[in-house]
Amino acid sequence: MADEASGGALAAFGDGLLWFIQNIGMAFYNFGYAITHPGSWLNWSDSQSLMRFIYYGASVELFFVVFTGFLILTAIGLWKNSIMWGTVRLLEGFANTVGRFFAWAGLLMVIQQIVIVFMQRIFTRPDISFGFGIPLQFDISWFAEELKLYNALVVCLCATYTFVQGGHVRVDLVYSAVKYRTKKVIDMVGSLIFMMPTAVLIWMYGWFFMWRHLVTPKVSASDKIDLLMRKAKLLKWNVETIGFSPNGFTAYFLFKILLVAFTAMVFLQAVAFFYRSYLEWKEGEESEGKYLDKDTLGEGEEAYEGTH
């Protein structure tokens, strides 16, 4: 019995390993086919093309394309560290640029709240109108609920920017007491074991959660491509416009889109953090913070110094 169990385990392991290798090999074909046949998944005027985009957006095929690309880029970066540093600078620059832009949503949120208070308490108006000619006019409750969108913009699109700046709160029980290179190993393990898999899981569920509020019939992560092709015959846009109150905010689908955008940026930052941690581990303490673009308060003082 023990021999049969061990033999079955080895067979299952062999099948899993073969499946893994086959999917890595197929990643090159799938990527090449997607690039050379963009109309099969980007022509959204065709319902089947849109349904393929929805399916492959969180599929095993896409996972292995991304995973294989990560392996190739990592291998090239190990061979030539300047390419890896370039990737770090590109991804961190992207996080900083997006974060610095959408951080202004916090100011817009404050200004809009002040306008709402003035319109309600001083001018006793039930609505607010913006623009010339054909104005944008909504009930005050719409603008009050829309404030949550600004908060979501800051949370979702500034999270990786804050990570690059070292602004997230950290509870440290071990990290500060270990040696420099041990810290970098912890950072690399954290990127690969926690940050990347978490981003992948959130993406898998968040992707279909988003599309269930954009199209009908509903799509699910458990749907196979054949089933989705049959559903494509009934496919139509059905963008969510239901608010929590009769005159409240009517674009809650934007929060689902932000969830997906947040997850993608976290995954990219996990790649950048893994590469930075490896390079700083390899090059030693003198490379810590190399090429790091951190905000300052002037005179070289770091804006986030001492916050973590």
Side-chain angles (χ1 to χ4, degrees):
M1 291 294 291
D3 292 339
E4 291 179 1
S6 61
L10 288 174
F13 176 78
D15 291 340
L17 182 61
L18 179 62
W19 173 84
F20 184 79
I21 295 173
Q22 286 176 339
N23 275 281
I24 289 179
M26 285 297 297
F28 295 96
Y29 169 80
N30 291 331
F31 179 75
Y33 187 88
I35 293 298
T36 55
H37 298 78
S40 65
W41 56 285
L42 285 180
N43 180 21
W44 289 8
S45 61
D46 176 28
S47 60
Q48 288 193 347
S49 176
L50 176 57
M51 197 61 90
R52 288 191 194 96
F53 181 84
I54 296 172
Y55 171 78
Y56 287 110
S59 64
V60 173
E61 290 85 353
L62 177 63
F63 171 82
F64 276 99
V65 167
V66 174
F67 179 71
T68 304
F70 171 71
L71 291 180
I72 294 173
L73 183 59
T74 302
I76 296 174
L78 291 174
W79 168 62
K80 197 166 185 179
N81 290 165
S82 60
I83 294 177
M84 189 174 285
W85 272 122
T87 304
V88 171
R89 297 179 70 181
L90 176 66
L91 295 179
E92 290 184 347
F94 174 69
N96 279 335
T97 301
V98 173
R100 285 165 179 160
F101 178 81
F102 284 100
W104 289 100
L107 177 61
L108 292 177
M109 180 167 54
V110 173
I111 294 174
Q112 185 167 307
Q113 182 63 76
I114 293 172
V115 171
I116 290 172
V117 171
F118 267 79
M119 296 301 290
Q120 281 184 318
R121 303 302 179 186
I122 297 178
F123 299 104
T124 63
R125 289 284 302 174
D127 55 22
I128 301 176
S129 177
F130 290 103
F132 302 95
I134 302 177
L136 179 67
Q137 183 173 357
F138 290 104
D139 191 89
I140 282 183
S141 62
W142 189 95
F143 286 99
E145 286 189 20
E146 194 251 350
L147 292 173
K148 293 183 287 187
L149 177 62
Y150 295 132
N151 186 64
L153 287 171
V154 173
V155 171
C156 293
L157 301 181
C158 298
T160 53
Y161 159 63
T162 307
F163 186 88
V164 173
Q165 299 297 321
H168 287 299
V169 175
R170 300 176 60 169
V171 179
D172 182 11
L173 300 177
V174 177
Y175 191 83
S176 62
V178 299
K179 297 180 180 179
Y180 173 81
R181 292 186 182 274
T182 305
K183 290 180 181 179
K184 298 307 169 184
V185 172
I186 293 174
D187 290 338
M188 285 187 282
V189 171
S191 298
L192 292 177
I193 304 300
F194 296 104
M195 205 168 173
M196 287 185 187
T198 300
V200 170
L201 286 175
I202 297 175
W203 176 276
M204 290 173 60
Y205 287 97
W207 179 260
F208 289 102
F209 178 66
M210 176 186 71
W211 282 103
R212 282 198 296 271
H213 294 85
L214 295 177
V215 298
T216 188
K218 303 295 184 183
V219 293
S220 172
S222 60
D223 291 345
K224 303 298 183 183
I225 184 65
D226 294 338
L227 175 59
L228 291 180
M229 288 297 99
R230 292 195 296 271
K231 285 185 177 182
K233 298 177 181 178
L234 304 173
L235 185 68
K236 63 180 180 179
W237 288 98
N238 186 32
V239 179
E240 177 188 34
T241 57
I242 299 174
F244 286 111
S245 60
N247 297 317
F249 186 60
T250 54
Y252 280 97
F253 69 93
L254 294 174
F255 292 90
K256 286 77 175 181
I257 296 175
L258 284 174
L259 175 63
V260 173
F262 160 78
T263 307
M265 293 187 68
V266 168
F267 182 85
L268 292 176
Q269 185 54 42
V271 174
F273 190 57
F274 173 74
Y275 286 170
R276 172 173 286 282
S277 300
Y278 166 75
L279 291 167
E280 291 180 349
W281 171 83
K282 179 181 179 182
E283 297 179 5
E285 295 186 37
E286 63 277 4
S287 69
E288 186 171 17
K290 185 177 179 180
Y291 301 125
L292 187 59
D293 179 17
K294 298 191 71 172
D295 293 337
T296 64
L297 297 173
E299 298 298 329
E301 183 180 359
E302 293 182 353
Y304 292 97
E305 186 175 0
T307 60
H308 62 286

